[in-house]
Amino acid sequence: MAFIEHNENGLVYMTSSLIPARHAFTTRYGGVSTGHLSSLNLISGHGDEPENIRENFRRVAALMGAGPDDCAVTKQVHGAVVRLVDERDRHVCLSTVPYEADGIATTTRQLPLFCFTADCVPVLLYEKDGKAAAAVHCGWRSSVGDILGEALRQLKTLGAQAQDLCAAIGPAIGRCCFETDDDVPEAITAWLGGDTAELFVRRADGKTLVDLRAANARRLMQLGVPAERIDVSEECTFCSHEKYWSHRYTKGQRGGQCACIVL
């Protein structure tokens, strides 16, 4: 298992060796946005020009073999809804998304799935024989709401069993930098049924450092995904803020990257 960096015409992205389907975890590199949003920003609402976002999205969609108006996307609210999407959910770039869902799943071929992050945990799920795929945004609230449990429930309705899934958990804020109050470790402990060994580091000032990537990997194992089919990136978006968008490092003055996959 390994995450591999690619550079195609200046577009820098990561992939997992576990997932044979076309997929990517993007970085800040390879777009046309400028200033504090330089250069590959994929989200609106942070001051970027619409034409820049569209061109950035076009470049990433092209990696998936699609156009910018041919992809299914999340509309993230830090909830635990996972939506099944198909041809009817191809989204016109920058138009209003007509649903709220922090995860999307499909069996539709040539329909790229996109979720967006800037410290939260992106998870791509792939059925080993290519039956289904999902893209899931796992912030801590979505995580403790058991969005991965919901994702696997939805994938099961599509014919994908937990033991046949591969998972790639992409770059996100690491335990080194995810400083929280007591509400976060308490919620994670309840969510994981107390199975939290090595997930937390308690500091003398009363704060706790939390490994949210490892917590989501542990939940996948609880749900029946084999450990050898779970790949976890070691890159921290806060530490590597030059390479990735980090909400915490920039205090909200940032763009967003994506995790995407296509059957």
Side-chain angles (χ1 to χ4, degrees):
M1 296 185 292
F3 274 76
I4 304 154
E5 184 174 291
H6 306 264
N7 187 328
E8 295 187 22
N9 300 318
L11 189 65
V12 179
Y13 63 96
M14 309 299 293
T15 63
S16 166
S17 60
L18 269 185
I19 295 184
R22 192 179 304 184
H23 70 287
F25 297 89
T26 64
T27 68
R28 291 183 62 165
Y29 304 140
V32 298
S33 299
T34 59
H36 75 285
L37 295 171
S38 177
S39 64
L40 189 72
N41 167 45
L42 296 169
I43 61 171
S44 57
H46 290 260
D48 207 352
E49 297 296 329
E51 58 267 28
N52 290 343
I53 299 171
R54 183 173 176 85
E55 173 58 20
N56 292 341
F57 203 91
R58 185 197 66 78
R59 295 183 183 193
V60 179
L63 278 180
M64 301 294 106
D69 302 324
D70 298 324
C71 307
V73 301
T74 53
K75 183 179 180 181
Q76 297 166 194
V77 293
H78 296 274
V81 172
V82 177
R83 178 183 173 89
L84 300 182
V85 294
D86 57 27
E87 291 287 350
R88 296 167 293 182
D89 296 290
R90 292 188 187 273
H91 175 249
V92 175
C93 185
L94 295 176
S95 68
T96 300
V97 182
Y99 53 79
E100 293 181 349
D102 280 69
I104 50 178
T106 197
T107 57
T108 302
R109 297 291 187 263
Q110 307 305 321
L111 175 63
L113 308 180
F114 279 71
C115 71
F116 305 95
T117 62
D119 277 338
C120 293
V121 177
V123 179
L124 296 178
L125 300 168
Y126 176 76
E127 201 276 339
K128 64 181 180 62
D129 295 322
K131 292 178 181 177
V136 188
H137 162 256
C138 299
W140 78 263
R141 289 183 178 85
S142 295
S143 296
V144 302
D146 203 29
I147 193 170
L148 287 178
E150 177 63 10
L152 266 65
R153 188 184 72 81
Q154 295 285 10
L155 285 167
K156 188 175 181 180
T157 71
L158 300 177
Q161 304 298 321
Q163 64 268 22
D164 296 325
L165 293 177
C166 303
I169 299 176
I173 194 167
R175 189 179 67 181
C176 48
C177 300
F178 187 27
E179 174 190 286
T180 76
D181 293 318
D182 288 342
D183 56 336
V184 178
E186 287 171 359
I188 291 174
T189 299
W191 165 50
L192 295 177
D195 183 14
T196 59
E198 299 182 356
L199 295 183
F200 309 139
V201 173
R202 184 75 171 176
R203 292 201 323 215
D205 63 0
K207 298 288 187 179
T208 300
L209 297 170
V210 173
D211 192 338
L212 193 58
R213 284 173 299 190
N216 279 283
R218 195 156 302 174
R219 182 58 180 147
L220 287 171
M221 287 185 280
Q222 289 180 347
L223 291 164
V225 180
E228 64 272 17
R229 292 212 190 103
I230 303 172
D231 200 2
V232 183
S233 170
E234 295 182 354
E235 289 188 288
C236 169
T237 48
F238 189 103
C239 290
S240 300
H241 54 267
E242 301 92 349
K243 182 177 179 180
Y244 296 104
W245 297 109
S246 171
H247 182 82
R248 284 203 171 198
Y249 183 83
T250 61
K251 297 179 172 59
Q253 303 303 305
R254 49 80 180 175
Q257 56 248 351
C258 79
C260 50
I261 187 169
V262 61
L263 294 173

